[in-house]
Amino acid sequence: MVIAAVIRETEKAGAPGLHLLPPKETFELPHAETTTGRIQPIAHAADSKVDFGALVYGIDLNKFTDADFAFISDALHNHKLLVFKEQPSMLRPQQQYRLTASFDPDETTGGFAHGKDPFLLHHDGVDIYGIPKRPAIPEQPQVHILGRGPLGPDHYGFPPGFEVQGIDHHEFHLPPHISDEHREAGASRFYQWHFDGSLYNIPPPRVGCLLAVQTPKGPDVTVRWDDGSGTEMRMPPGATAMVAGSRALALLDEATRQTALHSRIEYAPHAFAWMAPARSTRLGHLSWEL
């Protein structure tokens, strides 16, 4: 098994261990004069406050051209969220990386937000790097895999029989936890809110790209806010909620909005190590268990 375009390095004193540093990959998109892409804004309910999102048809992301990318970039800046439909085959991780990287040609680190991946384990002749329960794909380590269960055969460099460990409710959330009886009846919680920050001297990526390889099957679950308001939401299992930052900013009262606009954040050294003991509240925000 060969991992291409990868540098292994041993950290200096104070941060020992083997890490994987993916260098900046140089590539050129195939040229085309025009695109075959078509855009369709997502239709929301009449009483919905959601005002973003669009479906994209007619572009094979495994073969997208420079004209396709220009179309995609323009559509994303207008609609904030794009869902690509009718793909002839599953998006290869190499193309997923190139799609994300095309939005930031001046980026130099090659890692996109998570930087140097630490060594996780050696399994069946293959060194696996990444973050616990989020391993890097060996053939394209800038792309991580999330989920639960065994991977299919020949999954981009993962050894046969490799299984991804999922995040468990009891280890992720602060107590009190949802009872087994209520979980069996379909009760659930938000697992986490995620946004990329400028950590470890690495600028956050301009665009995030998620690929749903296989989604959980079964009846809808009921996500409970559990904040005393009685708010609940029905949704398919494994669904991902998208939030427009511009909409969140607009919903703030003026004093809070001005605080947000005129504030700065300073991250702790080795932020993820520092926040490792943190657990999530019922709404998905991080908190520390004292």
Side-chain angles (χ1 to χ4, degrees), residues 43-66:
H44 301 292
D47 59 347
S48 174
K49 296 181 180 179
V50 180
D51 59 356
F52 65 97
L55 308 178
V56 179
Y57 297 88
I59 295 178
D60 182 353
L61 290 178
N62 279 319
K63 301 177 181 178
F64 73 94
T65 66
D66 54 0

Side-chain angles (χ1 to χ4, degrees), residues 37-188:
R38 308 185 312 278
I39 197 81
Q40 177 184 322
I42 295 176
H44 301 292
D47 59 347
S48 174
K49 296 181 180 179
V50 180
D51 59 356
F52 65 97
L55 308 178
V56 179
Y57 297 88
I59 295 178
D60 182 353
L61 290 178
N62 279 319
K63 301 177 181 178
F64 73 94
T65 66
D66 54 0
D68 292 330
F69 178 73
F71 176 87
I72 292 169
S73 179
D74 183 66
L76 184 62
H77 283 89
N78 280 296
H79 297 280
K80 303 176 185 175
L81 170 70
L82 300 180
V83 180
F84 291 85
K85 308 293 286 185
E86 298 179 351
Q87 293 298 296
S89 58
M90 189 177 78
L91 180 63
R92 299 191 303 273
Q94 295 86 349
Q95 286 296 104
Q96 185 171 350
Y97 167 77
R98 290 179 179 181
L99 177 60
T100 307
S102 294
F103 282 94
D104 196 0
D106 297 326
E107 192 275 336
T108 58
T109 65
F112 289 100
H114 56 268
K116 302 175 184 178
D117 278 331
F119 174 79
L120 286 180
L121 57 97
H122 183 82
H123 183 81
D124 200 11
V126 180
D127 288 339
I128 305 295
Y129 292 79
I131 299 172
K133 300 191 177 181
R134 201 180 84 185
I137 294 178
E139 291 186 6
Q140 192 69 55
Q142 294 92 338
V143 181
H144 285 196
I145 187 167
L146 289 162
R148 185 191 304 272
L151 299 178
D154 302 320
H155 196 85
Y156 304 107
F158 281 106
F162 189 86
E163 293 193 16
V164 178
Q165 294 182 346
I167 301 173
D168 182 77
H169 163 58
H170 284 82
E171 68 185 44
F172 186 82
H173 289 98
L174 287 169
H177 299 115
I178 302 173
S179 68
D180 291 342
E181 179 184 1
H182 285 180
R183 291 183 73 180
E184 288 296 323
S188 186

Side-chain angles (χ1 to χ4, degrees), residues 262-274:
H262 296 89
S263 298
R264 62 186 295 271
I265 185 170
E266 182 175 342
Y267 295 100
H270 298 284
F272 287 113
W274 173 70

